[in-house]
Protein backbone atom coordinates (compact mmCIF):
# COMPACT_ATOMS: atom_id res chain seq x y z
CA UNK A 1 0.00 0.00 0.00
CA UNK A 2 1.26 3.45 -0.90
CA UNK A 3 0.26 5.88 1.86
CA UNK A 4 0.58 9.62 1.29
CA UNK A 5 1.32 11.58 4.46
CA UNK A 6 0.94 15.37 4.41
CA UNK A 7 2.01 17.62 7.29
CA UNK A 8 0.92 21.27 7.42
CA UNK A 9 2.37 23.86 9.81
CA UNK A 10 1.26 27.41 9.16
CA UNK A 11 1.97 28.09 5.52
CA UNK A 12 4.51 25.25 5.21
CA UNK A 13 3.54 21.88 3.73
CA UNK A 14 5.51 18.65 3.54
CA UNK A 15 4.38 15.50 1.75
CA UNK A 16 5.89 12.03 1.69
CA UNK A 17 4.75 8.74 0.17
CA UNK A 18 5.33 5.68 2.37
CA UNK A 19 5.36 2.07 1.16
CA UNK A 20 3.56 -0.07 3.78
CA UNK A 21 3.89 -3.84 3.53
CA UNK A 22 1.55 -6.33 5.16
CA UNK A 23 2.97 -9.77 5.91
CA UNK A 24 0.21 -12.26 5.11
CA UNK A 25 1.79 -15.19 6.96
CA UNK A 26 0.37 -15.12 10.51
CA UNK A 27 2.79 -15.29 13.41
CA UNK A 28 2.81 -18.49 15.40
CA UNK A 29 1.45 -17.38 18.76
CA UNK A 30 1.71 -20.65 20.65
CA UNK A 31 4.65 -22.70 19.45
CA UNK A 32 4.90 -24.82 22.58
CA UNK A 33 4.77 -28.50 21.70
CA UNK A 34 2.16 -30.66 23.40
CA UNK A 35 3.77 -32.81 26.09
CA UNK A 36 2.29 -36.17 27.02
CA UNK A 37 1.78 -37.27 30.62
CA UNK A 38 3.84 -40.31 31.60
CA UNK A 39 2.30 -42.55 34.25
CA UNK A 40 4.55 -43.17 37.27
CA UNK A 41 5.56 -46.75 37.99
CA UNK A 42 4.76 -46.14 41.66
CA UNK A 43 2.56 -43.34 43.09
CA UNK A 44 4.50 -40.57 44.84
CA UNK A 45 3.24 -38.79 47.98
CA UNK A 46 3.68 -35.01 47.77
CA UNK A 47 2.80 -31.91 49.83
CA UNK A 48 2.00 -28.41 48.60
CA UNK A 49 4.26 -25.45 49.47
CA UNK A 50 3.66 -21.68 49.31
CA UNK A 51 2.32 -20.61 45.90
CA UNK A 52 0.81 -23.97 44.89
CA UNK A 53 -2.11 -24.13 42.51
CA UNK A 54 -4.00 -26.78 40.56
CA UNK A 55 -4.61 -26.66 36.83
CA UNK A 56 -7.12 -28.69 34.83
CA UNK A 57 -4.81 -30.29 32.28
CA UNK A 58 -1.17 -30.56 31.22
CA UNK A 59 -1.42 -28.03 28.39
CA UNK A 60 -0.20 -24.46 28.33
CA UNK A 61 0.46 -21.35 26.31
CA UNK A 62 2.28 -18.09 27.04
CA UNK A 63 -0.02 -17.65 30.07
CA UNK A 64 0.62 -21.16 31.40
CA UNK A 65 -2.01 -23.84 31.92
CA UNK A 66 -5.70 -23.26 32.67
CA UNK A 67 -5.80 -22.84 36.45
CA UNK A 68 -8.41 -24.31 38.81
CA UNK A 69 -7.32 -22.38 41.89
CA UNK A 70 -4.72 -22.00 44.62
CA UNK A 71 -3.93 -24.37 47.49
CA UNK A 72 -2.45 -23.46 50.86
CA UNK A 73 0.82 -25.11 51.95
CA UNK A 74 0.72 -28.51 53.62
CA UNK A 75 -2.00 -30.21 51.56
CA UNK A 76 -1.05 -33.87 50.88
CA UNK A 77 -1.77 -35.46 47.50
CA UNK A 78 -0.74 -38.52 45.50
CA UNK A 79 1.05 -38.04 42.17
CA UNK A 80 0.24 -40.71 39.59
CA UNK A 81 1.81 -39.18 36.47
CA UNK A 82 4.17 -36.44 35.34
CA UNK A 83 5.44 -34.22 32.57
CA UNK A 84 8.75 -32.37 32.70
CA UNK A 85 7.25 -29.61 34.89
CA UNK A 86 3.97 -30.97 36.27
CA UNK A 87 2.67 -33.78 38.45
CA UNK A 88 -0.67 -35.37 37.67
CA UNK A 89 -2.42 -35.84 41.02
CA UNK A 90 -5.38 -37.99 42.01
CA UNK A 91 -8.07 -35.82 43.60
CA UNK A 92 -10.90 -38.38 43.79
CA UNK A 93 -12.04 -41.61 42.17
CA UNK A 94 -13.16 -39.75 39.05
CA UNK A 95 -10.97 -36.65 38.98
CA UNK A 96 -7.32 -35.80 38.45
CA UNK A 97 -5.57 -32.45 38.07
CA UNK A 98 -2.04 -31.10 37.64
CA UNK A 99 0.25 -29.20 40.01
CA UNK A 100 3.61 -27.59 39.09
CA UNK A 101 6.56 -29.54 40.52
CA UNK A 102 8.15 -26.32 41.81
CA UNK A 103 5.23 -25.86 44.24
CA UNK A 104 5.33 -29.28 45.92
CA UNK A 105 7.76 -31.28 48.01
CA UNK A 106 8.04 -35.00 48.69
CA UNK A 107 6.31 -36.26 51.82
CA UNK A 108 2.98 -36.64 53.53
CA UNK A 109 0.62 -39.59 53.52
CA UNK A 110 -0.83 -39.04 50.06
CA UNK A 111 -4.50 -38.83 49.13
CA UNK A 112 -7.05 -40.22 51.56
CA UNK A 113 -10.82 -40.56 51.79
CA UNK A 114 -12.19 -39.43 55.16
CA UNK A 115 -15.45 -38.68 56.96
CA UNK A 116 -16.23 -35.06 57.76
CA UNK A 117 -17.06 -33.86 61.26
CA UNK A 118 -19.23 -31.04 62.56
CA UNK A 119 -19.37 -27.52 61.09
CA UNK A 120 -19.62 -24.10 62.69
CA UNK A 121 -20.48 -20.64 61.33
CA UNK A 122 -19.63 -17.43 63.21
CA UNK A 123 -19.09 -13.69 62.81
CA UNK A 124 -15.65 -12.41 63.86
CA UNK A 125 -16.35 -8.74 63.05
CA UNK A 126 -14.69 -8.40 59.65
CA UNK A 127 -15.65 -11.77 58.17
CA UNK A 128 -18.10 -14.61 58.55
CA UNK A 129 -16.16 -17.79 59.27
CA UNK A 130 -17.15 -21.33 58.23
CA UNK A 131 -15.16 -24.10 59.92
CA UNK A 132 -15.39 -27.69 58.63
CA UNK A 133 -13.95 -30.29 60.99
CA UNK A 134 -11.73 -32.84 59.22
CA UNK A 135 -9.36 -35.55 60.48
CA UNK A 136 -6.99 -34.92 57.57
CA UNK A 137 -6.14 -32.11 55.15
CA UNK A 138 -7.73 -32.50 51.73
CA UNK A 139 -7.28 -30.72 48.39
CA UNK A 140 -10.15 -28.42 47.41
CA UNK A 141 -11.63 -26.50 44.49
CA UNK A 142 -13.55 -23.24 44.88
CA UNK A 143 -15.67 -21.08 42.59
CA UNK A 144 -18.34 -18.37 42.66
CA UNK A 145 -21.87 -18.70 41.35
CA UNK A 146 -23.51 -15.46 40.26
CA UNK A 147 -27.24 -16.17 40.44
CA UNK A 148 -27.94 -16.95 43.19
CA UNK A 149 -24.81 -15.47 44.77
CA UNK A 150 -22.98 -18.48 46.18
CA UNK A 151 -19.49 -19.63 47.09
CA UNK A 152 -18.97 -23.34 46.46
CA UNK A 153 -15.99 -25.23 47.88
CA UNK A 154 -15.51 -28.89 46.92
CA UNK A 155 -13.43 -31.16 49.17
CA UNK A 156 -11.82 -34.09 47.35
CA UNK A 157 -11.68 -37.31 49.34
CA UNK A 158 -14.51 -36.34 51.71
CA UNK A 159 -17.61 -38.33 52.65
CA UNK A 160 -20.36 -36.53 54.50
CA UNK A 161 -20.66 -37.47 58.16
CA UNK A 162 -21.71 -34.00 59.35
CA UNK A 163 -24.93 -33.95 61.37
CA UNK A 164 -24.38 -30.49 62.86
CA UNK A 165 -23.92 -26.99 61.45
CA UNK A 166 -23.73 -24.75 64.51
CA UNK A 167 -24.35 -21.02 63.99
CA UNK A 168 -22.78 -18.86 66.69
CA UNK A 169 -24.46 -15.43 66.70
CA UNK A 170 -25.80 -13.18 63.94
CA UNK A 171 -23.93 -13.31 60.62
CA UNK A 172 -22.77 -10.34 58.55
CA UNK A 173 -22.88 -11.50 54.91
CA UNK A 174 -23.71 -15.22 54.88
CA UNK A 175 -27.39 -16.06 54.45
CA UNK A 176 -27.05 -19.79 55.04
CA UNK A 177 -24.63 -22.71 54.70
CA UNK A 178 -25.42 -26.15 53.30
CA UNK A 179 -23.54 -29.13 51.86
CA UNK A 180 -23.96 -31.53 48.94
CA UNK A 181 -22.34 -34.93 48.37
CA UNK A 182 -21.63 -34.20 44.71
CA UNK A 183 -19.75 -37.49 44.11
CA UNK A 184 -19.02 -40.59 46.13
CA UNK A 185 -15.90 -38.95 47.58
CA UNK A 186 -16.48 -35.24 46.87
CA UNK A 187 -18.32 -33.05 49.39
CA UNK A 188 -19.27 -29.50 48.37
CA UNK A 189 -19.90 -26.69 50.85
CA UNK A 190 -22.57 -24.26 49.57
CA UNK A 191 -22.38 -20.76 51.09
CA UNK A 192 -25.25 -18.47 50.06
CA UNK A 193 -24.64 -14.73 50.49
CA UNK A 194 -27.24 -12.10 51.36
CA UNK A 195 -25.32 -9.15 49.89
CA UNK A 196 -25.64 -8.23 46.20
CA UNK A 197 -21.87 -8.63 45.77
CA UNK A 198 -19.12 -10.92 47.00
CA UNK A 199 -16.37 -8.94 48.75
CA UNK A 200 -13.86 -11.78 48.65
CA UNK A 201 -13.03 -14.79 50.77
CA UNK A 202 -10.05 -16.84 51.87
CA UNK A 203 -9.57 -20.58 52.38
CA UNK A 204 -6.99 -21.97 54.78
CA UNK A 205 -6.38 -24.75 57.24
CA UNK A 206 -6.21 -24.37 61.01
CA UNK A 207 -4.75 -27.69 62.03
CA UNK A 208 -6.81 -30.13 59.96
CA UNK A 209 -9.94 -27.95 59.98
CA UNK A 210 -10.82 -26.16 56.74
CA UNK A 211 -11.63 -22.49 57.42
CA UNK A 212 -13.49 -20.34 54.88
CA UNK A 213 -13.55 -16.62 55.77
CA UNK A 214 -16.06 -14.53 53.82
CA UNK A 215 -15.43 -10.78 53.97
CA UNK A 216 -18.17 -8.38 54.99
CA UNK A 217 -19.12 -5.46 52.77
CA UNK A 218 -16.92 -2.42 53.60
CA UNK A 219 -18.69 0.01 55.93
CA UNK A 220 -18.17 2.81 53.42
CA UNK A 221 -17.87 2.55 49.63
CA UNK A 222 -16.47 6.06 49.24
CA UNK A 223 -13.12 5.98 47.46
CA UNK A 224 -11.46 7.79 50.36
CA UNK A 225 -12.37 4.85 52.61
CA UNK A 226 -11.23 2.04 50.29
CA UNK A 227 -7.94 0.29 49.69
CA UNK A 228 -7.66 -0.65 46.01
CA UNK A 229 -5.19 -3.07 44.45
CA UNK A 230 -3.96 -2.39 40.92
CA UNK A 231 -2.28 -5.23 39.04
CA UNK A 232 -0.37 -4.44 35.86
CA UNK A 233 -0.34 -7.72 33.96
CA UNK A 234 2.92 -9.30 32.77
CA UNK A 235 6.31 -7.54 32.86
CA UNK A 236 10.06 -8.07 32.23
CA UNK A 237 10.70 -11.47 30.62
CA UNK A 238 6.93 -11.99 30.30
CA UNK A 239 5.88 -9.20 27.89
CA UNK A 240 2.34 -10.45 27.30
CA UNK A 241 0.75 -9.88 23.91
CA UNK A 242 2.87 -8.09 21.28
CA UNK A 243 1.34 -5.92 18.59
CA UNK A 244 2.21 -6.09 14.91
CA UNK A 245 4.39 -3.02 15.47
CA UNK A 246 6.24 -4.63 18.37
CA UNK A 247 4.43 -2.80 21.18
CA UNK A 248 4.43 -4.87 24.37
CA UNK A 249 1.29 -5.39 26.42
CA UNK A 250 3.31 -5.19 29.65
CA UNK A 251 4.35 -1.59 28.84
CA UNK A 252 0.76 -0.53 28.08
CA UNK A 253 -0.51 -2.21 31.27
CA UNK A 254 1.93 -0.43 33.60
CA UNK A 255 1.23 2.92 31.90
CA UNK A 256 -2.53 2.51 32.45
CA UNK A 257 -2.02 1.39 36.06
CA UNK A 258 0.27 4.31 36.93
CA UNK A 259 -2.23 6.81 35.48
CA UNK A 260 -5.15 5.11 37.26
CA UNK A 261 -3.24 5.10 40.54
CA UNK A 262 -2.84 8.87 40.38
CA UNK A 263 -6.56 9.35 39.68
CA UNK A 264 -7.54 7.13 42.63
CA UNK A 265 -5.05 8.76 44.99
CA UNK A 266 -6.41 12.22 44.14
CA UNK A 267 -9.88 10.88 45.06
CA UNK A 268 -8.49 9.82 48.45
CA UNK A 269 -8.18 6.07 47.90
CA UNK A 270 -5.26 4.06 49.26
CA UNK A 271 -3.58 2.24 46.36
CA UNK A 272 -1.50 -0.98 46.41
CA UNK A 273 0.48 -1.94 43.28
CA UNK A 274 1.79 -5.38 42.31
CA UNK A 275 4.56 -3.73 40.26
CA UNK A 276 5.67 -0.16 39.57
CA UNK A 277 8.19 -0.75 36.75
CA UNK A 278 9.08 -3.33 34.08
CA UNK A 279 9.46 -6.18 36.54
CA UNK A 280 7.84 -9.59 36.65
CA UNK A 281 5.96 -11.13 39.56
CA UNK A 282 4.52 -14.62 39.68
CA UNK A 283 0.82 -15.20 40.22
CA UNK A 284 1.61 -16.38 43.76
CA UNK A 285 3.63 -13.23 44.51
CA UNK A 286 0.91 -10.92 43.21
CA UNK A 287 -1.70 -12.80 45.23
CA UNK A 288 0.41 -12.49 48.39
CA UNK A 289 0.94 -8.74 47.91
CA UNK A 290 -2.81 -8.09 47.76
CA UNK A 291 -3.74 -10.62 50.45
CA UNK A 292 -1.18 -9.16 52.89
CA UNK A 293 -2.41 -5.62 52.15
CA UNK A 294 -6.02 -6.65 52.89
CA UNK A 295 -7.38 -4.70 49.93
CA UNK A 296 -11.09 -4.04 49.34
CA UNK A 297 -11.06 -4.18 45.53
CA UNK A 298 -8.69 -5.49 42.87
CA UNK A 299 -8.38 -4.33 39.27
CA UNK A 300 -6.09 -6.35 37.01
CA UNK A 301 -5.17 -4.57 33.77
CA UNK A 302 -4.52 -6.48 30.55
CA UNK A 303 -4.65 -5.79 26.81
CA UNK A 304 -4.83 -7.99 23.72
CA UNK A 305 -3.16 -7.75 20.32
CA UNK A 306 -4.09 -8.93 16.83
CA UNK A 307 -1.86 -9.95 13.93
CA UNK A 308 -3.62 -7.78 11.37
CA UNK A 309 -2.83 -4.07 11.92
CA UNK A 310 -5.66 -3.11 9.53
CA UNK A 311 -8.39 -4.92 11.50
CA UNK A 312 -9.84 -3.11 14.50
CA UNK A 313 -11.01 -5.90 16.82
CA UNK A 314 -11.11 -4.09 20.15
CA UNK A 315 -8.76 -3.76 23.11
Amino acid sequence: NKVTVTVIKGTDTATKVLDVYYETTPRKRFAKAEEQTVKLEQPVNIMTVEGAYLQYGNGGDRLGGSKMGCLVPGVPMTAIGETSSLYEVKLSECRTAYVPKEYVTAGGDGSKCVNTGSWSVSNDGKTDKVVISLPYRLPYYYRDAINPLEIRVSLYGAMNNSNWITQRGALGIIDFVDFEQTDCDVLTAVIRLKDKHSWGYSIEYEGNNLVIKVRHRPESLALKDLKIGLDAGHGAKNPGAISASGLKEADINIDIVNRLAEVLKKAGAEVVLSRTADTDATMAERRKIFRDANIDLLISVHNNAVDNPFASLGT
Side-chain angles (χ1 to χ4, degrees):
N1 296 271
K2 289 187 177 296
V3 179
T4 301
V5 179
T6 301
V7 178
I8 301 173
K9 182 179 180 181
T11 58
D12 297 328
T13 300
T15 299
K16 187 172 183 178
V17 178
L18 304 178
D19 291 328
V20 179
Y21 298 89
Y22 173 51
E23 183 179 342
T24 57
T25 303
R27 290 180 291 134
K28 290 184 178 180
R29 282 179 170 269
F30 311 124
K32 184 177 179 181
E34 195 68 29
E35 188 176 1
Q36 297 299 313
T37 301
V38 177
K39 295 299 180 181
L40 297 173
E41 292 183 7
Q42 295 291 332
V44 176
N45 292 341
I46 57 176
M47 297 269 286
T48 57
V49 299
E50 186 68 40
Y53 61 85
L54 293 175
Q55 62 183 58
Y56 293 100
N58 68 350
D61 52 33
R62 62 181 176 81
L63 299 178
S66 179
K67 296 172 180 60
M68 292 173 61
C70 300
L71 291 177
V72 296
V75 175
M77 295 183 291
T78 298
I80 59 174
E82 67 176 344
T83 68
S84 60
S85 60
L86 302 167
Y87 276 126
E88 181 187 18
V89 294
K90 183 178 177 63
L91 296 179
S92 66
E93 285 298 318
C94 304
R95 186 68 183 271
T96 64
Y98 288 82
V99 61
K101 291 179 178 178
E102 63 182 300
Y103 292 124
V104 298
T105 185
D109 298 326
S111 302
K112 287 186 178 181
C113 192
V114 301
N115 288 323
T116 62
S118 60
W119 298 30
S120 68
V121 189
S122 60
N123 182 339
D124 69 3
K126 295 290 186 180
T127 67
D128 287 348
K129 183 166 70 171
V130 180
V131 180
I132 304 174
S133 176
L134 295 168
Y136 186 78
R137 292 191 177 194
L138 300 173
Y140 50 84
Y141 167 57
Y142 52 90
R143 64 272 189 204
D144 298 330
I146 297 175
N147 187 21
L149 195 58
E150 291 179 344
I151 299 167
R152 302 176 72 89
V153 181
S154 293
L155 284 166
Y156 293 104
M159 293 184 295
N160 182 32
N161 191 44
S162 301
N163 290 319
W164 308 103
I165 299 180
T166 303
Q167 180 173 323
R168 299 189 172 99
L171 302 178
I173 192 169
I174 292 178
D175 187 15
F176 70 84
V177 177
D178 200 358
F179 46 74
E180 301 172 359
Q181 189 75 47
T182 46
D183 209 334
C184 63
D185 54 355
V186 181
L187 182 70
T188 298
V190 181
I191 304 171
R192 178 75 61 83
L193 305 185
K194 54 189 177 185
D195 199 288
K196 292 190 296 183
H197 306 284
S198 170
W199 293 95
Y201 56 93
S202 65
I203 303 174
E204 56 197 42
Y205 274 101
E206 293 179 0
N208 288 332
N209 294 335
L210 188 77
V211 179
I212 306 165
K213 294 182 178 180
V214 186
R215 290 169 58 102
H216 295 173
R217 177 186 184 275
E219 293 182 6
S220 168
L221 297 183
L223 282 176
K224 65 180 180 62
D225 298 319
L226 294 178
K227 185 183 292 187
I228 300 176
L230 299 180
D231 176 44
H234 307 287
K237 64 180 184 294
N238 182 6
I242 301 176
S243 76
S245 67
L247 195 62
K248 297 177 183 177
E249 178 192 350
D251 295 340
I252 299 297
N253 294 343
I254 191 65
D255 183 58
I256 292 173
V257 161
N258 286 337
R259 293 168 187 258
L260 180 56
E262 289 304 311
V263 172
L264 291 172
K265 288 176 183 176
K266 287 180 181 177
E270 184 177 351
V271 177
V272 178
L273 304 180
S274 60
R275 67 181 180 96
T276 57
D278 189 27
T279 56
D280 189 21
T282 66
M283 294 284 283
E285 290 168 340
R286 294 171 194 256
R287 180 171 178 265
K288 187 176 188 307
I289 288 170
F290 296 125
R291 283 282 299 274
D292 290 351
N294 198 30
I295 61 172
D296 297 302
L297 295 170
L298 171 63
I299 301 171
S300 187
V301 176
H302 290 262
N303 287 271
N304 289 331
V306 293
D307 290 321
N308 186 348
F310 301 109
S312 177
L313 300 178
T315 299

